Amino acid sequence: MTATGEPGAREDSSLGGSPATITTPTSLIASTPTTVPSDLPMPHSNGSGNHKSTIVIESQPKRRVSIISDPPAIGGAGGLGAGYDNPAYEQNPRRKISQTSTHSHTDIGPARRKSILKDTAPHDNDKNYRQNALDVLNAKYNGHQTGHSSGGDSNGGANFVEESWMYTFCLKCRGEEPSSSWEPPFWQKIFPYPLCPTFRTVSRLISIILIGVLIWITAFVIIGDSAAPGGQLFGLVVLTVAANFGGYLISLTTLPRLIGMLLVGILFQNVGWANIDGDFSKVTAHLRKFALTIILTRAGLEMEPEAFKKVYKTILKLGIIPWCVEAAVMAVMSHFLLDLPWMWAFLLGSIIAAVSPAVVVPCLFRLRTKGYGVAKGIPTLVVAVAGVDDALSVAIFGIISTVMFSDKGLAYQIAQAPVCILGGLGFGVVWGSLARIFPEKGDAYVVPLRTLLLFTGGLMAIYGSEELGFEGAGPLAVVFSAFVSNLFWCKDGWDVEDNPVSTAFEIFWMIFEPILFGLTGATVKIRELDSHTVSIGAACIFTGAVLRILTTAGIAFGDRLNTKEKFFVGLSWMAKATVQAALGPVALKHLGEDATPEEKNWANIVQTICVFSIVLTAPLGAIMISVTGTKLLTKTKQPQDLSGWRRSHRPSIRDISIIDEEEEREDPEIPEDKETHDNTLNNAHIPTISYTYNT
């Protein structure tokens, strides 16, 4: 290869003897030596033997470096002469370039070094590798079509696989991986992506299965027959795993996961795969209390203290008055139409009137991503009122159930309401204040300690209030202690929308959600259902929901909401799920062996209507929020910052890590020094480097 006389041209024999002209600006020669790889693909010839190709450097993988006209000096004091490349473009500014560098890693902070055995950089050939596997499938399909067709264009199915519904469905099921993964060389040939899961997904699943098998073997050795196949504990584990899988399938339709979990529980009960009766019912009762503690703690943590302080009148008004209307309507209709006594009717009304944040929050997040209702803070208002509803429902249920199932005197029953309210609020203030002081906010283990302190305090409140005979105080104490703790933590600098303790409780909920809804669905025996009870119960549920919507729209005056927004707020509170699943079977558990058949029938009616309220209103509420939100709410054109808002993704243990994320960043942002800035401006006029080949 010979130079053509251009300034900066040089000879290179790496192209196999083909003459080529490499044109570069003169100022780049000293600092940017250019080597053309021997395997560089050449474009097709135009028939004359001469062709010209321009390859832009930006399309090639490279590391950004500063372009300077003079070589860096060695042993200088600071700047580029201190043994560093351009610090602004340096991938890891903590790396020393030479022994003469005066920079130290302490200038930025201690670095958490990555293992050199792990390649965390994205591989550019991953996408091409996967695409080649799909090309093989397309080629096989096209060859099959060509063999069975006479004439015609065979290029119409070039992308048959990518255009198929199966490809779209599989692509929807695959989540984005945080980094590239290692795969055996044969994996994509046998299991092409996205038609098949990645090797990382399969290996993770195999790991979980192995862990589960080992835990089961250990439990079988310790517990015995109950953990063996056919035992009640083994059946509970299988039900939980199946409920989780059913929730995943339902989530692909954008409906709440709990619907699939509930349906799996109903299926297991009615085909004879679930057995939760007998002595094992005590275990399920304790699991429900654990789940209730998690539900109420999350409700308290999701109340934003600043928003509550500004619009507490609106939150209390929209939370209490519509709740009272729906509970009263449910009680009156169930008393006259289902022949429930007044106490049982109000017990049912207190359960049904609760709103489910598990249904509301994901739907509101999807609307918030599009900017609907953000200007007036409607998503925050709806979530806050849902928390107030849950606390009110569980507290009133506890008071009514204590009065119903206790054999103490009239004075004790009269004292239930004031003692439960004042005791619950008092415990919440004391425990929330302790959670601010202990542990100290700078402790390295502050997140797990605060999480466990809040969780154990909630369990003590639930079990302690039941033991003392004031069952309504416990749930109120759990909600209020979580709210007070969150209030103090926000003052110390935590963000309510990205609270690590909230994330920890969401992880707890991911474990207990399939247990709770699977067990709730397993209480429904279709053969024993009374069609009259189901139909009348559905009528009561929808009547109460409609009147609640109208009440909400009627009392929301002076809250800066227009008519459409008032109706949307009312619609968003019609979904039932979590509280109904936790409290529905409790009345039946309270009945002793000496209960009359009539009392057992009333308890079964309460349980059946609670389950059907979930089946009817949870999917309908999710659909109504998603459909009417775009019609009734005002859309803001400004892009929304959604980081951390009510957890935009299902969390993992990494989300509650106490390690500072800045320490683990591969390419931390550091201020650009003046010399680098001036150097970049000086080189801004340099054109893009191109290669010209003459053959």
Side-chain angles (χ1 to χ4, degrees):
M1 185 177 73
T2 58
T4 60
E6 292 273 342
R10 63 181 180 85
E11 273 195 358
D12 198 327
S13 59
S14 61
L15 295 179
S18 299
T21 299
I22 304 176
T23 304
T24 58
T26 306
S27 59
L28 301 182
I29 296 177
S31 60
T32 315
T34 306
T35 302
V36 181
S38 59
D39 57 347
L40 190 66
M42 295 296 182
H44 299 289
S45 175
N46 56 8
S48 62
N50 298 324
H51 58 267
K52 183 177 180 179
S53 175
T54 300
I55 303 175
V56 182
I57 287 224
E58 274 72 3
S59 64
Q60 306 298 322
K62 63 182 185 304
R63 182 169 71 90
R64 293 190 298 176
V65 296
S66 175
I67 303 176
I68 56 177
S69 57
D70 298 323
I74 305 297
L80 293 174
Y84 261 88
D85 289 354
N86 188 344
Y89 288 156
E90 180 60 47
Q91 185 176 5
N92 189 353
R94 300 178 177 89
R95 177 174 65 87
K96 284 191 174 184
I97 302 303
S98 68
Q99 294 294 331
T100 60
S101 175
T102 59
H103 286 75
S104 172
H105 70 276
T106 57
D107 295 341
I108 302 175
R112 180 179 294 270
R113 297 298 179 91
K114 299 285 186 181
S115 171
I116 62 174
L117 300 179
K118 178 181 179 183
D119 185 8
T120 57
H123 296 283
D124 294 336
N125 60 349
D126 278 357
K127 184 176 179 181
N128 297 330
Y129 182 48
R130 292 175 174 174
Q131 188 64 33
N132 290 338
L134 293 177
D135 291 342
V136 172
L137 292 179
N138 285 321
K140 290 181 178 179
Y141 173 80
N142 293 331
H144 176 75
Q145 291 294 97
T146 304
H148 289 78
S149 61
S150 57
D153 186 9
S154 61
N155 295 328
N159 295 322
F160 169 77
V161 176
E162 288 88 338
E163 295 173 357
S164 65
W165 67 269
M166 181 63 70
Y167 180 90
T168 305
F169 178 78
C170 293
L171 191 61
K172 181 178 178 61
C173 298
R174 309 285 176 241
E176 293 218 5
E177 297 289 348
S179 61
S180 59
S181 63
W182 175 86
E183 289 180 345
F186 62 85
W187 187 263
Q188 286 297 328
K189 297 179 182 179
I190 303 177
F191 308 104
Y193 180 91
L195 302 180
C196 299
T198 61
F199 178 76
R200 173 179 291 175
T201 303
V202 174
S203 62
R204 182 189 302 134
L205 182 61
I206 293 176
S207 302
I208 294 174
I209 292 175
L210 290 176
I211 293 172
V213 170
L214 295 176
I215 292 176
W216 171 73
I217 293 175
T218 306
F220 175 71
V221 173
I222 297 174
I223 299 175
D225 294 338
S226 180
Q232 289 184 310
L233 180 59
F234 183 83
L236 175 62
V237 174
V238 173
L239 173 62
T240 303
V241 174
N244 201 13
F245 181 70
Y248 167 73
L249 293 179
I250 291 295
S251 68
L252 297 178
T253 65
T254 69
L255 289 176
R257 296 169 60 94
L258 56 91
I259 300 298
M261 299 174 184
L262 193 69
L263 294 178
V264 168
I266 296 175
L267 175 65
F268 269 54
Q269 177 60 256
N270 291 276
V271 298
W273 295 345
N275 180 18
I276 58 174
D277 298 327
D279 295 337
F280 200 70
S281 61
K282 297 180 181 178
V283 176
T284 60
H286 290 298
L287 290 175
R288 292 181 188 278
K289 290 180 181 178
F290 275 62
L292 182 63
T293 303
I294 296 172
I295 292 170
L296 296 176
T297 304
R298 292 187 64 203
L301 292 174
E302 286 176 349
M303 295 183 191
E304 189 170 351
E306 288 298 324
F308 197 91
K309 181 179 179 180
K310 294 178 181 178
V311 292
Y312 71 94
K313 293 182 180 179
T314 299
I315 294 175
L316 294 178
K317 178 178 64 175
L318 296 181
I320 296 177
I321 297 178
W323 183 93
C324 293
V325 171
E326 185 174 8
V329 170
M330 192 71 200
V332 172
M333 293 188 67
S334 60
H335 172 72
F336 289 105
L337 299 180
L338 296 174
D339 296 326
L340 289 179
W342 280 112
M343 290 299 291
W344 283 91
F346 277 105
L347 184 75
L348 176 61
S350 65
I351 302 175
I352 297 298
V355 179
S356 174
V359 178
V360 173
V361 171
C363 300
L364 288 177
F365 174 77
R366 284 194 292 270
L367 289 176
R368 197 175 192 272
T369 58
K370 302 175 183 178
Y372 289 100
V374 178
K376 295 185 179 180
I378 292 178
T380 303
L381 172 66
V382 172
V383 172
V385 172
V388 172
D389 262 20
D390 285 356
L392 189 59
S393 290
V394 181
I396 298 300
F397 172 85
I399 295 173
I400 295 176
S401 62
T402 303
V403 173
M404 287 175 57
F405 301 112
S406 67
D407 53 359
K408 298 184 179 180
L410 180 62
Y412 171 80
Q413 296 180 357
I414 295 176
Q416 277 291 316
V419 170
C420 288
I421 295 175
L422 296 178
L425 295 178
F427 180 87
V429 171
V430 172
W431 200 255
S433 301
L434 287 176
R436 180 189 187 182
I437 303 173
F438 307 106
E440 193 268 331
K441 63 181 181 179
D443 195 321
Y445 301 96
V446 63
V447 174
L449 290 177
R450 284 179 173 179
T451 301
L452 294 176
L453 188 67
L454 207 56
F455 186 48
T456 53
L459 290 176
M460 182 183 68
I462 294 291
Y463 282 96
S465 62
E466 183 178 347
E467 187 68 23
L468 295 175
F470 295 94
E471 192 174 346
L476 193 60
V478 174
V479 175
F480 207 66
S481 62
F483 174 75
V484 173
S485 301
N486 196 30
L487 173 64
F488 289 134
W489 296 341
C490 289
K491 290 182 178 179
D492 290 338
W494 280 14
D495 186 1
V496 68
E497 294 183 353
D498 200 10
N499 188 336
V501 175
S502 299
T503 306
F505 274 95
E506 187 165 353
I507 295 175
F508 291 165
W509 179 240
M510 288 169 59
I511 300 173
F512 278 89
E513 185 181 20
I515 297 176
L516 177 62
F517 288 101
L519 289 174
T520 302
T523 61
V524 178
K525 300 178 181 178
I526 297 178
R527 292 184 297 271
E528 300 178 5
L529 290 179
D530 182 10
S531 59
H532 176 264
T533 301
V534 173
S535 58
I536 296 299
C540 296
I541 293 170
F542 283 118
T543 303
V546 171
L547 291 179
R548 175 173 186 150
I549 294 172
L550 296 176
T551 302
T552 302
I555 67 172
F557 51 86
D559 298 327
R560 300 184 300 108
L561 301 177
N562 57 39
T563 304
K564 292 182 179 180
E565 292 167 343
K566 293 176 183 177
F567 276 100
F568 172 81
V569 169
L571 284 171
S572 63
W573 291 328
M574 70 176 297
K576 322 292 180 185
T578 47
V579 173
Q580 291 74 18
L583 300 182
V586 171
L588 188 60
K589 306 298 181 184
H590 276 308
L591 294 178
E593 297 180 355
D594 57 344
T596 64
E598 195 173 28
E599 289 177 333
K600 292 182 179 180
N601 180 51
W602 295 334
N604 281 321
I605 290 176
V606 171
Q607 177 178 282
T608 301
I609 294 180
C610 286
V611 173
F612 270 89
S613 70
I614 303 173
V615 176
L616 295 176
T617 62
L620 182 60
I623 294 173
M624 293 295 290
I625 293 174
S626 301
V627 173
T628 62
T630 58
K631 310 295 183 184
L632 302 180
L633 298 181
T634 303
K635 181 178 181 180
T636 179
K637 296 182 180 180
Q638 296 179 354
Q640 302 304 314
D641 181 16
L642 302 170
S643 57
W645 192 84
R646 313 302 179 199
R647 301 299 326 167
S648 59
H649 62 282
R650 289 182 72 79
S652 65
I653 296 297
R654 283 191 60 85
D655 293 325
I656 59 173
S657 173
I658 60 175
I659 301 172
D660 188 2
E661 294 179 358
E662 291 296 328
E663 295 182 6
E664 294 201 335
R665 291 183 56 180
E666 294 265 338
D667 187 15
E669 295 179 3
I670 61 174
E672 186 179 16
D673 63 290
K674 185 177 185 302
E675 188 171 356
T676 300
H677 179 70
D678 296 340
N679 185 36
T680 303
L681 294 180
N682 293 335
N683 293 314
H685 66 282
I686 299 176
T688 303
I689 303 174
S690 63
Y691 301 101
T692 304
Y693 301 96
N694 296 320
T695 59

